[in-house]
């Protein structure tokens, strides 16, 4: 992580919302793109926090405080990213964090990047059941269902959506499924039968273009 991100990283670790927001806005003023701030500072900082949590060096309240800083930054960045948005729809995407999983920081970045790149995104939120995801995809006439999972126990719920689509001819012919999030990797996605996997929000956009066969 470069020096320009030290203060922001510290603010996230300390759970200091005010400094976190002001530091990230300062970076934007200096010309750093919100997506770069996420990939170069916020994501690696959260990875360190997650590791500290799993080693019992910090506990849930600290992890919650750090997440609060990041959520506040996401709120500040929302209008900035919306201003960049393309107006012609490249395709419709329904996105959700699967059942039992409340993590949405990564999903929200993926959503914002897809929107900036011209996709219409219907965000179903977190802890969304398979049947709700399928119903919403049908109602929205979606091209792609995008699933996020951050915990190992969430993986069967991702697989559940894929299996349902596999078993249902009408759904199979209508929807492509792309997956991502911490415990998901390319190998797991292939084995589970997903149509696409993205390691980060930038790759999510490439995968979405590929799945709907749209020119980038
Ligand atoms: C912040 C955080 C929280 C916050 C969540 C706040 C929120 N609104 O999201 C809070 C504090 C609430 C929380 C709670 C819990 N958490 Co938590 N959390 C994290 C932490 C530190 C960071 C996650 C994050 O936001 N990363 C940053 C984002 C940007 O990265 P990302 O989500 O991976 O997303 C990127 C890519 O994966 C990809 N992507 C993501 N989704 C998608 C979707 C598609 C379609 C595509 C293509 C790509 C894609 O693009 C994104 C952008 O680049 C992780 C540690 C870690 N290493 O991930 C633990 C972690 C995920 N949490 C964990 C745990 C255990 C919990 C709790 C069970 C703790 C507890 N005892 O209560 C609860 C679970 C609550 C629940 N039922 O979900 C574990 C999961 C362990 C496991 N592997 O199963 C982790 C890994 C920590 C650890 N090392 O132990 N957590």
């Amino acid at each position: 992580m470069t020096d320009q991100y030290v203060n922001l990283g510290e603010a996230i670790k300390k759970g200091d919302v005010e400094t976190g927001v002001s530091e990230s806005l300062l970076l934007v003023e200096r010309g750093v793109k919100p997506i770069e701030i996420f990939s170069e500072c916020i994501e690696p900082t959260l990875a360190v926090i997650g590791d500290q949590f799993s080693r019992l060096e910090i506990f849930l309240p600290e992890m919650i405080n750090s997440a609060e800083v990041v959520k506040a930054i996401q709120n500040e960045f929302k209008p900035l990213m919306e201003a960049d948005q393309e107006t012609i729809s490249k395709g419709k995407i329904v996105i959700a964090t699967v059942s039992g999983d409340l993590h949405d920081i990564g999903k929200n970045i993926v959503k914002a990047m897809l929107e900036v790149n011209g996709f219409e995104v219907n965000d179903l939120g977190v802890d969304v059941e398979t049947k709700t995801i399928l119903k919403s995809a049908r109602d929205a006439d979606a091209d792609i269902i995008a699933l996020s999972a951050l915990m190992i126990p969430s993986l069967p719920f991702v697989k559940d959506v894929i299996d349902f689509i596999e078993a249902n001819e009408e759904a199979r012919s209508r929807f492509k499924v792309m997956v991502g999030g911490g415990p998901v990797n390319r190998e797991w996605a292939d084995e589970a039968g997903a149509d696409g996997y993205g390691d980060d929000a930038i790759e999510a956009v490439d995968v979405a273009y590929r799945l709907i066969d749209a020119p980038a």
Side-chain angles (χ1 to χ4, degrees), residues 126-137:
V126 296
D127 186 15
V128 190
E129 284 182 21
T130 300
K131 61 174 191 291
T132 309
I133 295 172
L134 268 303
K135 182 177 184 312
S136 306

Side-chain angles (χ1 to χ4, degrees), residues 4 8 13 16-17 30 33-34 48 57 103-104 108 118 122 125 140 152 172 186 189 192 208:
Q4 65 176 340
L8 176 56
K13 284 183 189 153
D16 180 346
V17 173
R30 287 187 195 139
K33 289 204 173 88
V48 170
E57 289 166 14
H103 296 86
D104 66 355
N108 295 344
N122 183 357
I152 291 167
R172 184 60 292 190
R186 204 168 303 279

Side-chain angles (χ1 to χ4, degrees), residues 22-57:
S22 60
E23 280 298 325
S24 49
L25 291 178
L26 203 64
L27 287 161
V28 171
E29 263 172 43
R30 287 187 195 139
V32 188
K33 289 204 173 88
I35 188 69
E36 276 173 51
I37 300 175
F38 269 96
S39 61
E40 287 170 27
C41 175
I42 295 177
E43 279 192 51
T45 303
L46 286 174
V48 170
I49 289 165
D51 290 346
Q52 288 176 331
F53 175 76
S54 54
R55 291 197 300 266
L56 304 178
E57 289 166 14

Side-chain angles (χ1 to χ4, degrees), residues 35 38-39 42-43 46-54 60 63-67 70-71 95-96 100-107 109-110 126 145-153 178-183 196-204 207:
I35 188 69
F38 269 96
S39 61
I42 295 177
E43 279 192 51
L46 286 174
V48 170
I49 289 165
D51 290 346
Q52 288 176 331
F53 175 76
S54 54
L60 192 57
M63 195 157 77
I64 291 174
N65 290 342
S66 295
V70 177
K71 297 289 286 183
I95 193 165
D101 198 323
L102 301 176
H103 296 86
D104 66 355
I105 292 171
K107 169 186 70 61
I109 302 175
V110 172
V126 296
I145 296 175
L147 302 173
S148 182
L150 261 291
M151 300 188 297
I152 291 167
M178 70 174 186
V179 297
Y197 161 77
D199 196 39
D200 57 28
I202 292 167
E203 211 179 325
V207 173

Side-chain angles (χ1 to χ4, degrees), residues 54-93:
S54 54
R55 291 197 300 266
L56 304 178
E57 289 166 14
I58 60 164
F59 298 95
L60 192 57
E62 282 128 302
M63 195 157 77
I64 291 174
N65 290 342
S66 295
E68 289 299 326
V69 182
V70 177
K71 297 289 286 183
I73 296 170
Q74 271 186 332
N75 280 338
E76 291 290 329
F77 282 175
K78 223 187 245 170
L80 301 179
M81 295 188 83
E82 276 164 9
D84 283 344
Q85 212 156 311
E86 285 189 26
T87 43
I88 301 163
S89 174
K90 296 238 171 74
K92 289 185 192 159
I93 300 179

Side-chain angles (χ1 to χ4, degrees), residues 167-183:
N168 182 310
E169 219 172 284
E170 177 258 352
R172 184 60 292 190
S173 63
R174 274 177 80 168
F175 310 124
K176 302 280 187 197
V177 183
M178 70 174 186
V179 297

